[in-house]
Amino acid sequence: QLQLVESGGGLVQPGGSLRLSCAAFGFTLDSTAITWFRQVPGKEREGISCISGGGDIINYADFNKGRFTISKDNAKNTVYLQMNSLKPEDTAVYYCAATRTRSCYLRDYVYWGQGTQVTVSS
């Protein structure tokens, strides 16, 4: 079945790190772009960054600069979001989404994961 499955969320202290994973099933990452999103309670879902089928990266948000890094391992069919220096305001549900094409620019999302909860608190 075609799907994306996020994992790696949890409770972390401020200043800590997490690595989120987005595993793809039923398709290969070289055929699609993957975007990480997050939804903060009470706010709209917002894009974090995208990695294209060819490995090009686009960062969408200022909050992740120097702290969040998107990457992928095509052999494992998994996209990662490394999050460092986490802050309480990073608390959100984090999602990944796949596009129909290899490009980050079309934003033609066709598959979404169910999300993984990240809570940053002491």
Side-chain angles (χ1 to χ4, degrees), residues 31-72:
S31 69
T32 185
I34 298 291
T35 301
W36 281 102
F37 296 84
R38 74 182 188 185
Q39 188 163 21
V40 178
K43 299 178 66 176
E44 294 290 326
R45 184 179 295 169
E46 60 182 340
I48 300 169
S49 60
C50 175
I51 186 163
S52 76
D56 300 312
I57 294 171
I58 297 175
N59 293 307
Y60 296 121
D62 289 336
F63 62 77
N64 65 13
K65 292 182 179 178
R67 300 193 300 127
F68 293 7
T69 303
I70 192 170
S71 64
K72 67 174 179 176

Side-chain angles (χ1 to χ4, degrees), residues 24-110:
F25 299 89
F27 59 96
T28 56
L29 293 180
D30 63 357
S31 69
T32 185
I34 298 291
T35 301
W36 281 102
F37 296 84
R38 74 182 188 185
Q39 188 163 21
V40 178
K43 299 178 66 176
E44 294 290 326
R45 184 179 295 169
E46 60 182 340
I48 300 169
S49 60
C50 175
I51 186 163
S52 76
D56 300 312
I57 294 171
I58 297 175
N59 293 307
Y60 296 121
D62 289 336
F63 62 77
N64 65 13
K65 292 182 179 178
R67 300 193 300 127
F68 293 7
T69 303
I70 192 170
S71 64
K72 67 174 179 176
D73 185 339
N74 285 345
K76 300 188 70 173
N77 227 35
T78 300
V79 173
Y80 304 98
L81 185 68
Q82 179 67 46
M83 305 189 297
N84 300 322
S85 301
L86 286 164
K87 306 173 182 178
E89 51 263 45
D90 294 320
T91 296
V93 178
Y94 286 73
Y95 301 87
C96 60
T99 58
R100 186 178 298 277
T101 68
R102 289 163 47 86
S103 174
C104 289
Y105 292 98
L106 270 61
R107 303 191 181 190
D108 50 348
Y109 309 113
V110 291

